[in-house]
Amino acid sequence: DYLTIVRLGATTERGGMMIDSLVGMAIRGVGLTYLPDISLHLSAEQCRDAIRVLRQVRASLEPPEDFMRRDRIWSQYAFGWQGHLTVILDMLSDDPGWAFDAFPNAHQRNHTQLLLLMSDLALRAHRLERGANPETLAALVPEYLPEVPVDPYGDGTFVYRLTDDGYLLYSIGPDGIDDDGKPRQQPWELWHDGDDLNTSGWMRATASSGQAAQAGKVGWSGELGYGVRAAEAGQSADLTDDTSVTEDAAVTEDAAVTDGAADHEDGDL
């Protein structure tokens, strides 16, 4: 049960320090990564139930500042005056160090992934109950979501557009630039011709959803929720039917976990 895994991750980090939160985010990330594929086979009511659970998880999460504060307090008690001095210098410095800089970013990315998943579940419930995708995310409120989801990396909502074969949903990602849902090469990556079509943010999958027919195709990226959702067969359709998975979906890097996803950041379910 991937929802249980998501809840376990939230419980694991509560009241802890940065290391506890990192472990909790890793656990939570497992559920958030695999739930998108499962959501393709959920009923509208199951989507609603999943959204309720994810809302509870989101409400229980502590801000990264709380974990960082507890880490600093622990350092003062564990290392005496040296730890106390380090904390003071750290707070006065314009460069708080890698850990205190990367940690909030990890939180933001994980939060983006959670919101994208909730949005995608709401879109599916709407589609199943009303026969079509909504024109805007605002149409999901209040029936499916309590409020329009705000992109943690932007000044507005997630990017959402209807397409010929489904819809495009993604976050603009940490660079704050809308790359139209396309992946962007990261400085540490070596790309070859065509890699921009086969790159899915966080992960480089060779077969979407494990289906050999999808090898080399860009599919929906669970980590960042971006990519094109293909039109779905009815709920009575064979779950192995390839029509339930898009073959041409474009992945975004705007959410990279949105602008791209494992290393990019445009998107998430």
Side-chain angles (χ1 to χ4, degrees), residues 81-258:
W81 69 267
Q82 291 178 313
H84 187 64
L85 177 60
T86 299
V87 169
I88 293 176
L89 294 176
D90 186 45
M91 296 176 66
L92 294 176
S93 174
D94 292 331
D95 181 10
W98 179 88
F100 286 99
D101 182 50
F103 182 71
N105 293 335
H107 256 263
Q108 190 174 28
R109 186 173 59 193
N110 191 267
H111 186 212
T112 301
Q113 188 178 357
L114 178 62
L115 290 176
L116 281 167
L117 175 57
M118 291 170 58
S119 301
D120 192 71
L121 288 167
L123 288 167
R124 175 170 172 79
H126 182 286
R127 183 167 59 255
L128 291 175
E129 294 182 343
R130 306 193 181 188
N133 290 313
E135 292 293 327
T136 66
L137 292 179
L140 299 172
V141 180
E143 182 67 19
Y144 302 97
L145 294 173
E147 58 192 9
V148 178
V150 175
D151 185 350
Y153 290 107
D155 297 326
T157 63
F158 291 124
V159 179
Y160 170 73
R161 292 195 298 271
L162 295 177
T163 65
D164 292 339
D165 56 357
Y167 61 82
L168 188 65
L169 172 69
Y170 61 90
S171 160
I172 64 172
D175 64 1
I177 301 174
D178 184 351
D179 294 313
D180 199 30
K182 294 182 174 63
R184 174 186 299 178
Q185 182 178 2
Q186 298 299 297
W188 57 86
E189 294 179 334
L190 174 62
W191 282 19
H192 302 287
D193 291 344
D195 282 356
D196 58 326
L197 298 178
N198 300 319
T199 299
S200 171
W202 281 90
M203 53 174 62
R204 309 294 191 261
T206 55
S208 176
S209 301
Q211 298 186 29
Q214 297 300 309
K217 302 291 185 180
V218 177
W220 179 263
S221 173
E223 293 88 356
L224 292 175
Y226 40 80
V228 175
R229 275 288 198 188
E232 299 175 20
Q235 291 192 56
S236 61
D238 185 347
L239 295 185
T240 62
D241 190 337
D242 284 348
T243 59
S244 65
V245 180
T246 178
E247 293 193 6
D248 298 320
V251 158
T252 92
E253 164 155 332
D254 285 336
V257 111
T258 23

